[in-house]
Amino acid sequence: MEKNKMHKLDLIFIVGIGIIAIISALIDCFYTKVFPVFSVGSVYCVSYPLLIVLLIYSALKYKEEQDKPVYVRWYMFLILPFLHIAFMIVGFIIGNLLNNLFNL
């Protein structure tokens, strides 16, 4: 594999976390006005299981290969909430812009 390309599992992880966080932030912008329930819950209900599934798959498939995923590691349990918050901020910005644009 070339050094410039991102591993497939890393790409699935980053894009998956981004989509989960942005969709949950948009749901909170349009339906929940008091507290961001879906955004907070999506970290624990969807993001951590995605990481666990990718960790198990990575451990089984890339056990003895040289080219292993970089971001799908055990220490991402500690970094995942911060990564999720960064994508949630993007989702809230998009949601607020859409609210202002369409006057919802």
Side-chain angles (χ1 to χ4, degrees):
M1 182 182 260
E2 296 176 16
K3 294 291 181 187
N4 300 357
K5 286 190 172 185
M6 185 181 269
H7 199 277
K8 272 196 273 186
L9 286 182
D10 292 334
L11 188 63
I12 291 171
F13 177 66
I14 298 295
V15 170
I17 297 300
I19 289 173
I20 291 165
I22 289 173
I23 288 174
S24 63
L26 289 174
I27 289 172
D28 281 334
C29 280
F30 293 124
Y31 297 113
T32 308
K33 300 295 180 188
V34 180
F35 185 74
V37 177
F38 294 104
S39 298
V40 173
S42 66
V43 174
Y44 301 107
C45 296
V46 184
S47 298
Y48 278 121
L50 174 68
L51 177 64
I52 291 170
V53 166
L54 290 177
L55 279 172
I56 292 170
Y57 182 74
S58 173
L60 294 176
K61 177 149 177 142
Y62 301 104
K63 192 177 209 177
E64 301 196 9
E65 289 187 24
Q66 200 90 357
D67 185 30
K68 294 183 179 182
V70 177
Y71 299 114
V72 180
R73 299 284 187 191
W74 66 268
Y75 54 80
M76 287 304 286
F77 276 101
L78 306 171
I79 302 170
L80 186 62
F82 300 110
L83 183 64
H84 194 81
I85 288 170
F87 283 117
M88 273 183 4
I89 291 170
V90 172
F92 280 124
I93 291 171
I94 292 170
N96 285 332
L97 290 174
L98 288 175
N99 273 338
N100 291 338
L101 182 66
F102 296 118
N103 293 325
L104 298 175

